[in-house]
Amino acid sequence: MFSPEGPRLRELAVQALSSVERGYDLLAPKFDHTPFRTPDSVLDATTAALRRTGPFDAGLDLCCGTGAGIDVLRQVCREGVTGVDFSAGMLSVARERVRPPGPPVGWVRADARALPFGPVFDLVVSFGAFGHFLPRELPGLFARVHSVLRPGGRLVFPVVAPPRPGSPTYGMLLGFDAVMRVRNAVWRPPFVMYYRTFRFGDVGRELTRAGFRVEFQALPEFGRRRDGSPKVRLVVAARAEA
């Protein structure tokens, strides 16, 4: 599951008993060698989809981590891109990465629920971050993202189709969430990381309530399930024009 360069079991245990922020500070130097990093295949497919509708001017990577999404933005944005994360450790690793030529990059340490920007972005992307937000936090989070987008701007992120009940993957995710709930019931500070709380219906409803026009686009690179539904979708939430 982890490469030899990744964290050891003891390191993961220490991370899991920390706060989310402190846990990622500790994990940051080895994060890119874990399964938690968004796969390049998903990043590349998202880039291809954005190229079909871009280019864009200013872009924001929400909860940027070590900056994998920044490389997506730099391929589709012309003026500049910004990465925002509340983990100083993750931002430190992101700053040190060697990147190909492209628009300038800025880094901001901030909580995604309190973004320190006005409406200055045309595109916001996020990869694998929403499991760190409880369902009750989504309305405020999406409203804040809406407020930093210019009219016509878009929030875009990929979502993998949920595993079928009874499948091995479903059982694994169910078990992981159960362990995290028990951990958070008996240990402080909490570590919010759940895989089964971010559902299509809830996401679409909350984005619409925040003022977005929402589309779910299939990413053809990943094919379809037996019932014909896409294995991976791209959520495209557009702020209304002026």
Side-chain angles (χ1 to χ4, degrees):
M1 184 177 182
F2 293 91
S3 72
E5 296 84 6
R8 298 179 179 179
L9 183 60
R10 181 181 179 279
E11 292 174 304
L12 288 173
V14 172
Q15 179 208 9
L17 294 175
S18 306
S19 66
V20 179
E21 180 180 351
R22 177 58 178 160
Y24 275 104
D25 285 346
L26 295 170
L27 182 61
K30 298 182 178 182
F31 178 79
D32 288 341
H33 301 287
T34 73
F36 305 128
R37 180 190 182 275
T38 302
D40 287 339
S41 58
V42 175
L43 298 172
D44 292 343
T46 302
T47 302
L50 291 173
R51 279 176 169 163
R52 292 192 288 268
T53 57
F56 305 87
D57 288 332
L60 175 69
D61 186 1
L62 186 73
C63 305
C64 66
T66 56
I70 290 292
D71 293 335
V72 173
L73 289 174
R74 296 189 86 206
Q75 295 180 69
V76 299
C77 293
R78 297 174 290 198
E79 294 182 357
V81 300
T82 302
V84 63
D85 202 284
F86 73 165
S87 167
M90 298 290 270
L91 289 173
S92 178
V93 173
R95 290 188 182 98
E96 294 173 358
R97 291 181 61 175
V98 177
R99 303 187 184 281
V105 180
W107 305 99
V108 176
R109 185 184 179 193
D111 192 315
R113 293 161 292 196
L115 294 172
F117 310 108
V120 296
F121 297 104
D122 305 284
L123 175 64
V124 176
V125 297
S126 192
F127 296 95
F130 293 113
H132 294 302
F133 301 94
L134 297 171
R136 66 174 181 269
E137 296 177 301
L138 293 182
L141 175 65
F142 291 153
R144 195 70 195 105
V145 174
H146 187 276
S147 73
V148 305
L149 284 166
R150 293 170 177 152
R154 301 175 185 181
L155 166 63
V156 177
F157 54 92
V159 178
V160 177
R164 298 185 181 283
S167 68
T169 302
Y170 182 89
M172 180 182 69
L173 298 183
L174 182 66
F176 182 91
D177 284 3
V179 169
M180 293 304 296
R181 292 185 184 281
V182 171
R183 178 256 185 245
N184 290 333
V186 302
W187 192 267
R188 292 291 183 272
F191 192 99
V192 176
M193 184 177 180
Y194 299 115
Y195 284 104
R196 298 177 60 255
T197 59
F198 198 67
R199 299 181 174 90
F200 280 129
D202 296 338
V203 170
R205 181 171 58 253
E206 296 301 342
L207 284 168
T208 299
R209 287 177 177 174
F212 288 102
R213 184 180 69 255
V214 185
E215 297 179 6
F216 295 96
Q217 301 178 2
L219 289 180
E221 293 88 345
F222 300 96
R224 294 180 176 271
R225 305 204 294 185
R226 291 183 178 179
D227 62 2
S229 62
K231 290 183 178 179
V232 183
R233 289 180 173 94
L234 200 65
V235 179
V236 180
R239 176 172 176 168
E241 299 285 349

